[in-house]
Amino acid sequence: MAERVLVIGSGGREHALAWKLAQSPHVQQVLVAPGNAGTANSGKISNSAVSVNNHSILAQYCKDHNVGLVVVGPEVPLAAGIVDDLTAAGVTCFGPSAKAAQLEASKSFSKSFMDRHNIPTARWSSFTDPQDACKYIQDAEFPALVVKASGLAAGKGVVVARDKDEACKAVLDIMKVSRCGISVGLVKVSEDVLQEIKRSVLQKTVDGMRAEGTPYVGVLYAGVMLTKRGPKVLEFNCRFGDPECQILMPLLKSDLYEVLKNTLQADLSSSPVQWLENSAAVTVVMASGGYPASYKKGLEITGLSQVSEMGIQVFHAGTALKEGGGVITNGGRVLTVTAVRPTLESALRSANEGVAVISYPDAVYRRDIGHHAITYLTRTRGLTYRDSGVDIAAGNRLVDIIKPLAKATSRPGCNAELGGFAGLFDLKAAGFTDPILVSGTDGVGTKLKIAQACGIHSTLGQDLVAMCVNDVLAQGAEPLFFLDYFSCGRLDVRVASSVIGGIADACQMAGCALLGGETAEMPGVYGPNDYDLAGFCVGAVERGAVLPRLKDIMEGDLLIGVASSGLHSNGFSLVRKILERSGLQYSSPAPFGQPGQNIGEVLLTPTKIYSRLLQPILRSGAVKAYAHITGGGLLENIPRILPPELAVDLDASRWRIPAVFSWLQREGGLSEEEMSRTFNCGLGAVLVVSKQDVQRVLRLLQAQEEAWIVGSLTNKQPGAEAVVIRNLEQSLKDSPGRSPDTSVLQNGSETKPITLTLWCLTGTNLQALMEQVKKPSSSAEIVVVISNRPGVMGLKRASMAGIQTRVVDHKLYGSRAEFDGTIDKVLEEFGVELVCLAGFMRILTGPFVRKWSGKMLNIHPSLLPSFKGVNAQKQALQAGVRVTGCTVHFVAEEVDAGAIVVQEAVPILVTDTEDSLSERIREAEHRAFPAALELVGSGAVKLRDDGRIVWNQSVHG
């Protein structure tokens, strides 16, 4: 149902906002308070006499008149807390809170904020005493010649002085007329400096406001000066500029109402803002004679209707309706005349023609608007590469942005430094002795088209890395490094950095280095907003561990399926065709997936990366072959890893099929064969395992991921299909997301549990381990929980579970050696075979660590070797990386340096604080620690004397 919208303000900006809002089919009426002659009874637009200063009255007015959205134009009401008060009263209001609006309302706050968050700005100081300010000006080591009133001054609170004496006079003048403080700063600039303003200014501002507990919602307008040292922020505006808004609204192609609502719902990325293409706009401001000093009001304006007939938009500012009809002047800025045309020259010409038609006494306006820009654009000069559509400077900016992202993917064997002609990788440093190199390349197909249509680019990087890494894993190889290829018609640094940033994040998840890449801008080959991706992964495997082991694969071997996240990156041309037939849009609520998701979001769920999950299991030797279920689906990928005499018997009732597949099959009328030849149908990987090893492998997988025994191998009969899938049609028809039928195959063997002790403070990891050892398949039991502090939650949890506890208070011992000796006696008393450190912050002595080498695990809240020591989450946030996580490792004498058993990646969100990131890492720890416990407890993983891990291939679950 269409809504009523209230716009607060009376200037040309507010007329432009009302004009654009009135074009939306979602808007029934636009009220403007107090408005002007241009917003009085103009189609959907009309003025309101409601008081905008009394927020209680205004809130009640909105409720009485069914106002669904309030849009605040000027800065004064924002600073006065209009958004806070209306929101508290249940009225939806667009704009920043009063605290957020301090970025404009208080220059002192703004400057301090920029200093706190390392946002580039001029040197400055703030004063409330004019004598102190003048002394600062005279003594400063730089020309402190810009004087600003700290509070709101309607654009008139700035003086740029010629010398120090004039600056001091400005201080005294401002202090006489203002009760607010002042700020004094340097503006010392030069031309021709290019930097990425979004990264260094806007993103840091938004992140900083969120980090300080004041999320910014609304329009953020930064005044930036380009200097030899990069962009410097002069000031912030917390609303649309005036007359900038009168230029932006005619050029805005998107529905303004939808843009504002999406912003309020934190969903702006779901529908990117669109602008008119091949268009230019020019606005000329017509003012009253004498402005900004004294001027006359009540002067009649003529020619407005003729200008409208010329296709030129006039936005009213200081105007009022004349009694008996007509329009009169009522302010300093009277009108803004805006023309939109295909070129800047034609737009300027039309705007000036419109101004010439309008008349009122003493009208003043500039006649040089746009001429400098036209002179620059039409100057005679030689052709450049940029004239052909290739922007080298944009490419350089992109490299600067992605260098630290690539650096964060460094790993043993390379340091991931971009900028050379080629990348180097040291196999020996990575721990290989007789390696075979394995390479894979892939793209993400037409999933790109959906990402581009939705404006969601960051997830494609994981798709690209996963498609390549998962292929390399099929040979049993460890992914070592990754190269990307990004090609486009026009390089959009924002989009490209989002895509490549996602690639870097995914490389960290996969454990490989982003060693290099290529960005190709090819106008004419691709459209201006189109791009394509390709990736290349190189891995290595020791000669004796190459997969598949065809000679070992035999009839009766079992197949374990590992869950996919959904479609992954295959079949999207068919998906798009089905969606087109259904009549649904990417923005439509998804009939599959999680509640609240739209179709585009579900379809763009990134491909799972299986390297960290599968590598430990592949190294154990228990897996004979692994198939990545990619293009060709289940029917074509599993046979690629089998001897030709064997066939596959799958039972679809044994695994969970995501709802998206059921919907696609139903909407597209797809046959079973089409489904299983095109899509993964819920299985991203299939492992071939002997009956003797299947339970151990399944147990290790299920500690971190959904996995099932999905079928077996049989002898292939002449003329028979290589893959038979039973119960697929019925499973697709069943309720989406059902739990599959499960069966456990026992091989009669039994593993002796190891005895385990834990040190713990809060007890959250302890609880996860306690839940793990309760499982019948677990290799461990907890025999004692030790703490160096009495009364901690971990001890209480253990006691409630019937586990023995001990307190060894370090404060009662004269030395660390004495303390460690007591701990050692307790461990021997309980016959402990493995020690897990969880929240134990004491540094253990060398002799103790050496005695328990290979028998002591610790968990650390980062992806080691990154961010060792304390405050790892804070280190990750400060470093600006996009992925962190947790690491379970053997304890060594050097802190956080022992051999790694299990790691789990955790993406860092732009909304993350140290607390929110820590909470998500804790959740990952609760999965990783139990998985590591089983690997070590079952004997699958052991520590060699040289400090490296060995995978025991003879252990059977």
Side-chain angles (χ1 to χ4, degrees):
M1 187 178 72
E3 283 193 331
R4 184 173 283 121
V5 178
L6 172 63
V7 176
I8 304 296
S10 61
R13 167 182 50 216
E14 288 72 42
H15 186 184
L17 291 171
W19 172 80
K20 188 63 181 177
L21 285 165
Q23 297 172 17
S24 171
H26 304 294
V27 175
Q28 170 194 359
Q29 181 184 16
V30 181
L31 300 170
V32 187
N36 53 45
T39 56
N41 302 318
S42 175
K44 286 185 181 180
I45 308 171
S46 59
N47 290 338
S48 170
V50 64
S51 170
V52 298
N53 297 322
N54 189 317
H55 298 169
S56 298
I57 293 176
L58 183 61
Q60 190 59 49
Y61 173 89
C62 292
K63 294 176 181 179
D64 292 344
H65 292 79
N66 298 315
V67 172
L69 174 65
V70 176
V71 181
V72 184
E75 63 272 23
V76 173
L78 293 171
I82 189 171
V83 173
D84 308 73
D85 293 341
L86 292 184
T87 302
V91 177
T92 303
C93 189
F94 179 84
S97 65
K99 286 186 177 180
Q102 289 182 92
L103 281 174
E104 177 175 7
S106 170
K107 300 299 184 291
S108 179
F109 170 86
S110 177
K111 287 285 193 175
S112 297
F113 174 86
M114 286 187 273
D115 284 352
R116 289 196 298 275
H117 296 282
N118 197 30
I119 297 170
T121 189
R123 288 176 285 180
W124 69 285
S125 190
S126 182
F127 304 93
T128 55
D129 184 285
Q131 299 305 320
D132 291 343
C134 288
K135 186 177 188 303
Y136 177 82
I137 290 169
Q138 297 296 341
D139 296 343
E141 296 178 356
F142 61 94
L145 302 179
V146 178
V147 182
K148 294 184 179 182
S150 182
L152 296 174
K156 306 173 186 65
V158 180
V159 175
V160 181
R162 289 170 295 184
D163 53 38
K164 294 184 175 183
D165 290 339
E166 186 174 337
C168 286
K169 181 178 184 300
V171 168
L172 298 173
D173 290 343
I174 288 177
M175 295 298 285
K176 288 177 183 177
V177 298
S178 174
R179 292 186 178 181
C180 56
I182 61 169
S183 296
V184 181
L186 169 69
V187 182
K188 186 180 180 182
V189 300
S190 64
E191 298 179 356
D192 303 323
V193 179
L194 296 175
Q195 281 289 340
E196 185 53 54
I197 292 175
K198 176 185 175 182
R199 179 186 63 82
S200 62
V201 175
L202 297 178
Q203 191 63 57
K204 283 187 176 181
T205 302
V206 173
D207 292 345
M209 293 299 285
R210 184 186 301 112
E212 295 191 6
T214 311
Y216 194 97
V217 178
V219 175
L220 181 63
Y221 172 16
V224 176
M225 186 74 77
L226 299 180
T227 79
K228 289 182 179 179
R229 296 184 179 181
K232 301 281 187 179
V233 178
L234 299 178
E235 63 179 0
F236 289 108
N237 290 152
C238 294
R239 32 71 191 184
F240 285 105
D242 189 340
E244 291 86 352
C245 188
Q246 292 90 300
I247 284 283
L248 292 174
M249 292 302 105
L251 290 174
L252 180 62
K253 184 178 180 181
S254 297
D255 185 318
L256 177 60
Y257 175 85
E258 292 182 356
V259 171
L260 301 184
K261 293 289 280 190
N262 287 339
T263 303
L264 288 169
Q265 295 165 5
D267 196 28
L268 189 57
S269 62
S270 68
S271 182
V273 177
Q274 302 291 322
W275 302 91
L276 294 180
E277 296 182 357
N278 302 317
S279 298
V282 171
T283 282
V284 178
V285 178
M286 300 186 69
S288 297
Y291 175 81
S294 61
Y295 51 85
K296 294 180 181 178
K297 296 183 180 181
L299 305 176
E300 186 169 1
I301 304 171
T302 60
L304 294 174
S305 59
Q306 293 93 314
V307 173
S308 179
E309 293 171 359
M310 296 165 63
I312 297 170
Q313 184 64 42
V314 178
F315 294 114
H316 290 236
T319 64
L321 293 177
K322 181 182 178 182
E323 291 186 17
V327 178
I328 57 176
T329 64
N330 192 41
R333 291 186 184 182
V334 180
L335 303 167
T336 49
V337 182
T338 303
V340 178
R341 298 291 184 266
T343 65
L344 183 60
E345 294 92 336
S346 59
L348 175 59
R349 184 167 56 252
S350 294
N352 284 331
E353 289 172 355
V355 169
V357 172
I358 298 172
S359 177
Y360 58 88
D362 298 326
V364 294
Y365 53 89
R366 288 178 57 176
R367 292 170 171 80
D368 61 344
I369 295 295
H371 288 294
H372 291 297
I374 291 174
T375 300
Y376 177 78
L377 292 173
T378 59
R379 71 192 188 281
T380 302
R381 56 186 176 88
L383 286 174
T384 67
Y385 207 0
R386 187 171 184 176
D387 293 327
S388 69
V390 179
D391 190 342
I392 294 177
N396 292 336
R397 292 199 301 275
L398 176 62
V399 172
D400 289 340
I401 292 171
I402 64 178
K403 271 185 176 181
L405 303 179
K407 178 68 174 177
T409 68
S410 297
R411 52 153 292 158
C414 73
N415 59 11
E417 289 279 5
L418 300 184
F421 288 101
L424 303 176
F425 194 95
D426 186 342
L427 284 168
K428 190 172 184 180
F432 290 92
T433 55
D434 185 22
I436 293 177
L437 292 179
V438 180
S439 65
T441 182
D442 212 332
V444 297
T446 55
K447 192 172 188 178
L448 279 168
K449 301 293 289 184
I450 298 177
Q452 291 163 4
C454 296
I456 302 174
H457 310 281
S458 59
T459 59
L460 291 176
Q462 182 171 334
D463 289 312
L464 186 66
V465 173
M467 295 301 287
C468 299
V469 164
N470 292 344
D471 279 351
V472 166
L473 280 173
Q475 307 299 142
E478 174 188 349
L480 302 178
F481 61 86
F482 190 87
L483 305 168
D484 70 88
Y485 179 79
F486 180 94
S487 55
C488 59
R490 178 180 57 82
L491 182 57
D492 184 324
V493 174
R494 178 186 64 84
V495 171
S497 61
S498 179
V499 172
I500 299 173
I503 293 172
D505 293 347
C507 284
Q508 284 194 311
M509 295 179 192
C512 62
L514 180 55
L515 198 55
E518 169 69 8
T519 302
E521 192 171 16
M522 297 188 285
V525 177
Y526 298 96
N529 298 316
D530 293 335
Y531 62 84
D532 199 2
L533 286 173
F536 311 85
C537 181
V538 174
V541 57
E542 295 293 354
R543 191 174 300 274
V546 175
L547 293 180
R549 301 202 311 270
L550 293 177
K551 293 181 179 180
D552 295 340
I553 300 173
M554 62 185 67
E555 180 189 12
D557 282 344
L558 298 175
L559 301 178
I560 296 178
V562 184
S564 69
S565 60
L567 292 167
H568 282 188
S569 299
N570 300 107
F572 276 89
S573 294
L574 179 56
V575 170
R576 290 166 56 232
K577 191 68 176 178
I578 293 173
L579 194 63
E580 179 185 333
R581 177 183 291 185
S582 74
L584 296 174
Q585 306 298 318
Y586 296 129
S587 58
S588 302
F592 41 80
Q594 299 298 319
Q597 285 186 301
N598 63 38
I599 289 176
E601 290 169 338
V602 178
L603 296 181
L604 290 174
T605 301
T607 307
K608 283 187 177 178
I609 298 174
Y610 294 114
S611 55
R612 292 192 187 272
L613 171 70
L614 292 183
Q615 273 180 253
I617 301 171
L618 298 182
R619 288 175 182 150
S620 73
V623 175
K624 299 181 179 182
Y626 147 60
H628 176 206
I629 310 304
T630 178
L634 293 166
L635 294 186
E636 296 187 6
N637 284 290
I638 303 177
R640 295 167 68 181
I641 61 171
L642 300 178
E645 66 271 15
L646 294 179
V648 176
D649 180 11
L650 295 176
D651 184 349
S653 69
R654 289 182 175 272
W655 74 84
R656 182 181 62 81
I657 299 180
V660 63
F661 295 108
S662 300
W663 184 85
L664 288 169
Q665 191 272 335
R666 184 175 63 254
E667 286 293 321
L670 304 182
S671 66
E672 285 187 71
E673 181 179 7
E674 196 66 34
M675 286 295 298
S676 53
R677 192 178 301 278
T678 305
F679 302 116
N680 65 58
C681 295
L683 299 181
V686 172
L687 311 181
V688 179
V689 184
S690 69
K691 289 182 178 179
Q692 290 75 22
D693 287 329
V694 72
Q695 285 304 311
R696 176 168 64 92
V697 173
L698 191 64
R699 184 168 64 242
L700 295 174
L701 288 169
Q702 290 178 339
Q704 300 182 67
E705 183 59 85
E706 284 187 289
W708 313 270
I709 298 173
V710 296
S712 61
L713 298 182
T714 62
N715 284 322
K716 185 179 178 183
Q717 301 301 317
E721 296 292 337
V723 179
V724 174
I725 307 177
R726 294 178 286 112
N727 301 316
L728 179 59
E729 184 176 6
Q730 186 59 45
S731 297
L732 287 166
K733 289 179 179 178
D734 285 348
S735 58
R738 76 196 191 291
S739 297
D741 300 331
T742 58
S743 62
V744 179
L745 303 182
Q746 302 290 343
N747 61 18
S749 62
E750 186 174 325
T751 301
K752 177 181 179 296
I754 68 162
T755 52
L756 177 71
T757 187
L758 298 104
W759 270 303
C760 196
L761 295 179
T762 62
T764 57
N765 276 315
L766 168 63
Q767 188 65 41
L769 293 173
M770 287 167 54
E771 294 298 324
Q772 178 65 27
V773 300
K774 288 179 182 178
K775 298 177 181 178
S777 59
S778 177
S779 303
E781 63 176 338
I782 302 174
V783 295
V784 64
V785 173
I786 304 173
S787 174
N788 63 319
R789 289 168 50 188
V792 297
M793 182 55 69
L795 295 176
K796 297 176 182 178
R797 290 179 186 268
S799 296
M800 292 174 64
I803 299 172
Q804 293 284 332
T805 63
R806 292 289 187 273
V807 176
V808 182
D809 192 339
H810 62 279
K811 292 180 289 186
L812 303 179
Y813 296 86
S815 67
R816 286 197 296 145
E818 188 180 351
F819 170 75
D820 288 357
T822 304
I823 294 293
D824 189 50
K825 290 178 182 178
V826 175
L827 298 180
E828 291 179 350
E829 173 191 346
F830 283 89
V832 169
E833 297 171 277
L834 179 64
V835 178
C836 292
L837 304 179
F840 183 77
M841 304 302 292
R842 303 287 298 172
I843 297 177
L844 298 167
T845 59
F848 184 91
V849 172
R850 288 192 292 272
K851 176 176 179 179
W852 288 91
S853 178
K855 302 176 183 178
M856 186 158 49
L857 295 176
N858 183 44
I859 190 161
H860 183 76
S862 79
L863 294 177
L864 292 174
S866 299
F867 313 126
K868 296 181 179 180
V870 298
N871 300 321
Q873 300 93 328
K874 184 177 182 181
Q875 292 182 57
L877 290 172
Q878 290 176 340
V881 299
R882 307 276 284 277
V883 174
T884 184
C886 63
T887 301
V888 184
H889 62 94
F890 284 109
V891 176
E893 291 188 61
E894 182 184 346
V895 175
D896 297 330
I900 293 171
V901 181
V902 170
Q903 289 185 309
E904 180 164 338
V906 175
I908 298 179
L909 309 178
V910 295
T911 56
D912 265 333
T913 63
E914 192 173 342
D915 288 340
S916 65
L917 179 59
S918 298
E919 179 59 33
R920 294 208 322 285
I921 292 176
R922 274 194 292 272
E923 293 174 0
E925 289 179 346
H926 298 164
R927 296 185 293 270
F929 218 161
L933 167 64
E934 296 300 338
L935 285 172
V936 178
S938 66
V941 169
K942 292 184 178 180
L943 189 68
R944 299 193 317 198
D945 292 340
D946 62 2
R948 294 186 177 182
I949 282 179
V950 61
W951 296 86
N952 188 349
Q953 300 186 18
S954 63
V955 175
H956 298 301

